[in-house]
Amino acid sequence: MTLSQFIDALDRYGSALDRWPPAERDAARRLLEQSAEATVEWTEAVQLEQFIRGNDPATAIGTDAVIRLSNAVMARLPAQPRRRQGLWKRLLLDFGLHGSNLVWVPRFAMSMAVAALLGFAASNHLTDTAAQQVSAAELLSMSTSYLPLDLR
Amino acid sequence: MAFAALMERHGARALALALRMTGTAQDAEDVAQEAFLRVWAAAMRWNPDGGARFTTWLYRVVVNLCLDRKRRAPMQDLDSVPEPADSSISSFERYGRGQASALVAEALATLPERQRAAVSLCYFGEVSCQEAADCLEISLSALESLLVRGRRSLRDHFARRGLRKMGDVL
């Protein structure tokens, strides 16, 4: 590799020799061992890249700029369509029995009302044992484990 | 929300690339906003199994927006163009004033757009040359040609500004 080829390769691939194609990298390393001029060129290329990277105009960008960007983009996004809710979920929402944004008082009152309604409905189906024609003796026999007692 | 997390992760990179390309914070924010809105709109079309990294895709959108913006920008009135910096100021004074970043920004601004995009992606973008070529939708050899011209232009620019060797400021 000649000095002029080395300078061209420096401009093409940059100063990091490990990123060069293997054949050119090996030739460049051999040249650097022999040529002081090549070493000067390579050192200047390294310093140029260090200067540019070390003084990136974008280093002034802070987290506040990213937050501002995020807020601005989110504000400009189209509103998302509301997901369709099932009939029962909507009814429960309307009655305050579902959802986390409801105050607890109406939710508690509605829960108590539903419990009372269920209790009333259940009581209508209860059978009245006193109305049945069961003798006191039969009740006694059913409630005791003393089976040998024959009351009839 | 997942999209907010995505912006939190990649927003700084998109802003940085846009800032290096446009040169102003306001333009960079506008470009980054538009880029993420386009990402949102096209998210369903992106195929992660296709081999393309999300950052490559995002960078491509940012670069294209910057190029479009530059094309649409009206020509600047000659009177409004600032006078070139006084080259009699020594490199030490310049560095001492903490203007090294401004010097780099100024040097990037002198590059043609595609060279600037190539240099920005390869020097700062944390992407490989192949990914940078994918971002610009060009071949690897075409990207290397852009880098060759870009590096030479930067070196010439710094030399004109009195920085004959980077060792002057390092």
Side-chain angles (χ1 to χ4, degrees):
Chain A
M1 178 179 272
T2 64
L3 180 62
S4 135
Q5 287 171 330
F6 177 71
I7 293 170
D8 281 346
L10 266 180
D11 286 335
R12 182 169 299 275
Y13 307 122
S15 65
L17 296 183
D18 53 350
R19 297 179 72 175
W20 288 27
E24 284 165 292
R25 180 181 58 218
D26 294 343
R29 284 188 172 141
R30 281 195 297 274
L31 181 68
L32 282 169
E33 285 172 5
Q34 299 162 359
S35 166
E37 285 175 305
T39 304
V40 169
E41 292 290 341
W42 178 70
T43 305
E44 286 186 6
V46 169
Q47 289 176 336
L48 173 69
E49 288 181 14
Q50 282 179 350
F51 178 73
I52 293 172
R53 288 201 175 101
N55 295 289
D56 181 2
T59 49
I61 292 171
T63 51
D64 56 333
V66 179
I67 291 169
R68 197 164 53 243
L69 167 70
S70 180
N71 290 341
V73 172
M74 295 305 280
R76 289 176 63 187
L77 287 182
Q80 294 300 293
R82 193 177 172 185
R83 291 176 64 186
R84 289 186 66 189
Q85 292 168 337
L87 175 66
W88 284 109
K89 196 168 177 181
R90 269 184 284 151
L91 283 173
L92 288 170
L93 272 172
D94 290 344
F95 282 101
L97 293 175
H98 192 276
S100 58
N101 57 342
L102 302 165
V103 291
W104 68 273
V105 172
R107 293 183 69 184
F108 178 74
M110 187 58 72
S111 302
M112 293 302 291
V114 170
L117 194 66
L118 286 172
F120 179 74
S123 69
N124 283 338
H125 295 284
L126 288 177
T127 51
D128 186 359
T129 52
Q132 288 180 341
Q133 298 298 317
V134 180
S135 68
E138 282 175 322
L139 281 174
L140 183 63
S141 70
M142 285 187 285
S143 63
T144 179
S145 58
Y146 191 63
L147 294 175
L149 177 65
D150 188 2
L151 295 171
R152 285 176 285 180
Chain B
M1 190 180 176
F3 196 65
L6 189 79
M7 279 189 287
E8 193 179 326
R9 188 177 304 163
H10 298 286
R13 288 178 181 175
L15 276 170
L17 177 58
L19 180 59
R20 290 180 206 117
M21 289 289 294
T22 62
T24 70
Q26 185 57 56
D27 284 349
E29 288 193 18
D30 291 348
V31 164
Q33 270 187 43
E34 189 60 35
F36 276 107
L37 287 170
R38 291 198 182 186
V39 164
W40 169 266
M44 297 300 286
R45 294 204 300 272
W46 184 57
N47 176 18
D49 299 328
R53 285 175 60 190
F54 173 75
T55 47
T56 308
W57 187 41
L58 177 64
Y59 285 156
R60 183 184 299 170
V61 175
V62 170
V63 167
N64 285 336
L65 284 168
C66 290
L67 296 178
D68 288 346
R69 198 177 186 84
K70 212 73 180 178
R71 272 184 222 118
R72 288 201 312 267
M75 295 293 284
Q76 210 172 3
D77 180 14
L78 198 59
D79 292 335
S80 67
V81 178
E83 290 293 319
D86 183 1
S87 58
S88 65
I89 298 173
S90 76
S91 57
F92 292 106
E93 285 175 288
R94 211 176 260 282
Y95 185 65
R97 291 176 194 169
Q99 291 184 339
S101 289
L103 198 61
V104 173
E106 179 191 276
L108 287 174
T110 63
L111 298 178
E113 289 154 16
R114 296 187 76 78
Q115 285 180 32
R116 194 184 320 150
V119 168
S120 296
L121 285 166
C122 292
Y123 273 40
F124 311 105
E126 300 167 4
V127 295
S128 67
C129 286
Q130 184 58 62
E131 286 172 316
D134 292 342
C135 289
L136 294 170
E137 298 174 279
I138 56 176
S139 66
L140 185 58
S141 61
L143 176 91
E144 287 171 353
S145 296
L146 287 174
L147 287 174
V148 167
R149 283 177 276 152
R151 285 189 175 107
R152 286 176 184 165
S153 298
L154 288 175
R155 200 167 49 226
D156 291 347
H157 177 82
F158 289 128
R160 282 196 302 274
R161 287 285 175 267
L163 302 173
R164 292 198 176 279
K165 292 177 180 175
M166 284 300 114
D168 289 352
V169 292
L170 293 171

